[in-house]
Amino acid sequence: MKKKRIATTSLAGCFGCHMSLLDLDERIIELLKFVEIDRSPLTDKKSFTQRCDIGLIEGGCGNEDNVHVLQEFRRNCDVLVAVGQCAIMGGLPVMRNAIMHSEDPLRECLEEAYNSGDKIYNPGNEIPNDPALPLLLNKVYTCVDVVKIDYQIPGCPPTADVFWRALNGLIHGDFAELDYALIKYD
Ligand code: SF4
């Protein structure tokens, strides 16, 4: 069987989903019999070397760089998978969408984070504004708000067992619904 080529990225996420993927431990060796990893923080490849079969997306879109990367993954991957709650629903970053008291919610959010929030020590009252920083979006968008998503792997993060089951399904072309016991978190 020809190996599937996989790419992964972390957008507005915490890298916890990637950490959970590494929790596959020795099963990674088994996985690598069937896949090659292309662009990914796991390989430190910053760009695609060729078209990929599967793209795994952690995190939603909080800045313009996230949007560009997500669109690039859509263009370069046959199947695109939203991994974890941040990619599927926005996760913790989407909480800033609830800040809407003023005419400029983004400014209000930054003021809270850098100046007026409890336990903030910022004597210069400066808010980071280096032009090299990616432009923050007015709100956080989920992956499906920006591009077509083919599958979702739920969890915060999805457990290694969920990854194992889902990746095997994707690799062998029989991605079935995940068992309730695997995605039940209460
Ligand atoms: Fe981190 Fe959870 Fe978001 Fe994954 S879903 S990036 S673990 S906060």
Side-chain angles (χ1 to χ4, degrees):
M1 173 187 162
K2 186 171 177 285
K3 285 188 175 184
K4 299 282 188 190
R5 185 163 282 269
I6 289 182
T8 82
T9 190
S10 178
L11 306 177
C14 75
F15 271 94
C17 291
H18 276 79
M19 293 296 107
S20 191
L21 182 58
L22 292 177
D23 279 342
L24 284 171
D25 296 331
E26 69 273 12
R27 286 181 286 184
I28 291 174
I29 297 168
E30 185 64 23
L31 193 65
L32 289 175
K33 292 178 184 169
F34 300 100
V35 305
E36 287 175 329
I37 303 178
D38 198 88
R39 174 180 176 164
S40 170
L42 303 174
T43 56
D44 207 24
K45 286 181 187 160
K46 307 281 193 292
S47 53
F48 287 94
T49 64
Q50 57 184 275
R51 187 165 183 81
C52 288
D53 299 289
I54 301 163
L56 303 179
I57 309 292
E58 168 191 298
C61 292
N63 63 44
E64 60 172 354
D65 191 51
N66 298 152
V67 173
H68 291 153
V69 171
L70 182 55
Q71 290 174 332
E72 204 182 350
F73 265 70
R74 182 67 275 180
R75 282 196 299 275
N76 285 279
C77 299
D78 292 342
V79 169
L80 206 56
V81 186
V83 175
Q85 285 311 102
C86 292
I88 297 169
M89 302 284 287
L92 277 182
V94 86
M95 288 177 71
R96 79 167 162 96
N97 291 5
I99 297 174
M100 54 182 70
H101 306 125
S102 66
E103 286 182 2
D104 188 347
L106 180 56
R107 168 60 50 175
E108 186 182 348
C109 184
L110 290 169
E111 284 290 341
E112 175 75 14
Y114 287 97
N115 288 329
S116 58
D118 282 348
K119 302 183 177 60
I120 299 292
Y121 177 72
N122 183 7
N125 289 330
E126 287 180 15
I127 294 176
N129 63 356
D130 190 298
L133 291 172
L135 186 69
L136 283 174
L137 302 177
N138 61 340
K139 63 177 197 171
V140 173
Y141 294 83
T142 68
C143 289
V144 79
D145 288 331
V146 179
V147 298
K148 175 177 177 284
I149 293 293
D150 301 296
Y151 296 102
Q152 299 177 343
I153 303 178
C156 180
T159 63
D161 287 341
V162 169
F163 270 119
W164 180 248
R165 178 74 187 279
L167 286 175
N168 272 292
L170 288 164
I171 291 163
H172 300 294
D174 59 351
F175 191 93
E177 281 196 14
L178 295 164
D179 294 340
Y180 178 67
L182 267 181
I183 53 172
K184 169 176 161 299
Y185 293 97
D186 56 353

